[in-house]
Amino acid sequence: MTPNWEVEKVDADSRLARVFSPSNIALSKYWGKRDLTLNLPTNGSISVTLKDFGSFTTVEFHENFSKDRLILNGKEESHSELALIPPKVKSILDAVRERVPGKKQYARIQSWNNFPTGAGLASSASGMSAIAYGAAKALNLNLPPVKISEIARVGSGSACRSIFAGFVEWTRGEFADGSDSIAYQLSPTEHWPLKAFIAVVKDEKKEHLSTDGMELTRKTSPFFDSWIASAQQHLKEFRQAILERDFQKLSELTETNCVRMHACAMASNPSVLYWNSKTLELMQKARELRKNGVPVFFTVDAGPNVVFFCEASAATRVRKELSQDMSIRLLSTEAGEGTRPFDAKEWL
Ligand code: PMV
């Protein structure tokens, strides 16, 4: 069934685009900003774009609109009493609008996530990339994907990776204007069609927003510099493990990266702690399965949920093992395509 996320009817004379943008899960994580406004990272990262989970978004510009609006999951999102849209979303719209000559028009954005918002499943990655891509398309701008990715990054760092399919790297870059901090496809989905299982431990909003968690970590964790050095140093090995489809190597790298990121965050003051006892139990489960010859590994983002990646051949076994646990909600997907126009037929 096609989801109906347009809770307000679109205007017949609007310039509009409907898009779907997937979320992505980092194997090598972005944790630390060297520029808060541009969302420039202290370290490079590598992710897998998820096929089925993301944001269905309509971006609509009209001369009669009197302000920008964002309707997220059927509810108006307003940043202040003046009912302004979140500043990061406005930055994306402005970056697109400034490329179009003539009178600027306000936008109405209607977006719906087909997975829990704010539970560490990077809803900002899919949401912000959908808005960047949708706004450019609605205004008929023929921007290259790398440009749209750069615009999306200002909304949320991880959003710059969702534009692309399969395995995606986002480089740290050195320049202050961010022009060399770009995302690109490392290898397409078909190269290694890994399966992903997301064990949703808790659907509630997370305790620390990722930006706050990152800043607290950068400012107060004694391990921050070692985390960054280790994350940067491992990128080459990550690339190689992916290109060679070396599952054992990718498992070790991903789990080490995840634990180091969280250990560094936990050592902040006050502690940035995303895990609960279930998270730990699930991490152990992945290790136990792997010890028994099942090709599966875990990673955890800024929340308690655990993401399992496995070879397609092990998917039935992993599903069986995880679905015995009644205290989690299990979502499953695989590596997939990046941001794209939404074709209703695809989902019927
Ligand atoms: O882009 P943000 O602000 O949603 O931060 C993403 C942070 C992690 O998901 C934990 C890591 C990553 O690289 O996606």
Side-chain angles (χ1 to χ4, degrees):
M1 262 279 287
T2 308
N4 182 16
W5 68 96
E6 286 169 1
V7 292
E8 291 192 9
K9 202 167 165 336
V10 298
D11 198 294
D13 334 308
S14 295
R15 296 199 277 174
L16 77 86
R18 293 185 174 92
V19 305
F20 174 75
S21 188
S23 187
N24 68 75
I25 299 288
L27 303 177
S28 183
K29 301 199 186 291
Y30 146 58
W31 197 254
K33 298 183 199 242
R34 63 184 173 91
D35 184 304
L36 277 170
T37 313
L38 296 175
N39 278 334
L40 298 178
T42 46
N43 60 292
S45 55
I46 293 177
S47 60
V48 177
T49 298
L50 299 182
K51 180 168 174 248
D52 303 298
F53 298 119
S55 306
F56 294 87
T57 302
T58 303
V59 183
E60 201 185 347
F61 291 90
H62 197 287
E63 56 185 359
N64 293 348
F65 291 167
S66 55
K67 60 176 184 172
D68 289 323
R69 293 176 61 204
L70 170 64
I71 297 164
L72 179 59
N73 294 328
K75 248 184 66 216
E76 187 101 27
E77 285 278 303
S78 52
H79 181 64
S80 64
E81 281 160 20
L82 299 170
L84 300 174
I85 57 166
K88 295 279 183 190
V89 176
K90 184 170 181 311
S91 305
I92 294 181
L93 291 173
D94 288 344
V96 174
R97 276 189 289 235
E98 76 185 16
R99 291 177 158 79
V100 182
K103 192 166 178 287
K104 308 284 172 248
Q105 292 181 350
Y106 287 111
R108 171 168 58 188
I109 302 164
Q110 303 195 61
S111 191
W112 180 76
N113 299 326
N114 64 352
F115 62 91
T117 301
L121 284 181
S123 55
S124 60
S126 56
M128 297 293 183
S129 50
I131 294 170
Y133 185 91
K137 196 166 176 328
L139 294 180
N140 257 323
L141 280 176
N142 203 4
L143 298 178
V146 67
K147 230 331 132 202
I148 296 178
S149 166
E150 193 184 317
I151 295 172
R153 188 200 69 219
V154 175
S156 157
S158 55
C160 73
R161 299 184 307 234
S162 282
I163 300 292
F164 303 96
F167 293 89
V168 181
E169 175 164 6
W170 169 24
T171 58
R172 177 194 186 278
E174 300 297 329
F175 301 150
D177 67 355
S179 55
D180 59 345
S181 180
I182 54 163
Y184 72 102
Q185 184 183 71
L186 264 182
S187 59
T189 313
E190 325 69 87
H191 169 72
W192 200 4
L194 294 179
K195 295 277 177 198
F197 289 94
I198 300 159
V200 181
V201 169
K202 207 166 96 177
D203 283 3
E204 287 159 35
K205 289 252 182 206
K206 58 195 171 197
E207 253 171 62
H208 294 273
L209 291 171
S210 48
T211 298
D212 302 343
M214 282 185 212
E215 275 304 276
L216 202 53
T217 309
R218 186 178 64 79
K219 289 184 185 147
T220 68
S221 176
F223 306 140
F224 189 70
D225 290 343
S226 350
W227 148 248
I228 296 307
S230 146
Q232 276 300 106
Q233 200 185 4
H234 282 164
L235 285 170
K236 196 167 164 232
E237 287 175 65
F238 263 103
R239 276 181 223 120
Q240 198 179 344
I242 291 167
L243 295 177
E244 292 172 1
R245 289 190 285 258
D246 184 340
F247 194 88
Q248 183 60 29
K249 187 79 196 159
L250 190 61
S251 308
E252 285 163 21
L253 286 167
T254 304
E255 292 188 356
T256 303
N257 178 281
C258 165
V259 173
R260 286 187 183 172
M261 176 208 120
H262 284 276
C264 177
M266 276 180 215
S268 307
N269 184 15
S271 183
V272 177
L273 178 56
Y274 292 109
W275 300 350
N276 58 29
S277 54
K278 194 75 206 174
T279 313
L280 270 168
E281 192 187 314
L282 290 164
M283 290 160 73
Q284 300 282 23
K285 179 81 188 169
R287 291 200 163 171
E288 187 192 299
L289 282 168
R290 202 158 69 250
K291 226 188 254 162
N292 291 325
V294 183
V296 60
F297 62 80
F298 70 76
T299 188
V300 185
D301 273 344
N305 303 330
V306 180
V307 182
F308 297 83
F309 283 99
C310 68
E311 294 273 22
S313 58
T316 311
R317 172 78 193 273
V318 173
R319 178 191 295 279
K320 193 167 159 245
E321 292 281 343
L322 295 175
S323 50
Q324 285 166 9
D325 188 336
M326 292 303 158
S327 68
I328 58 171
R329 191 147 68 87
L330 197 61
L331 309 173
S332 66
T333 184
E334 56 202 279
E337 297 309 303
T339 313
R340 53 193 180 266
F342 172 68
D343 176 359
K345 284 195 274 331
E346 213 184 313
W347 295 86
L348 288 175

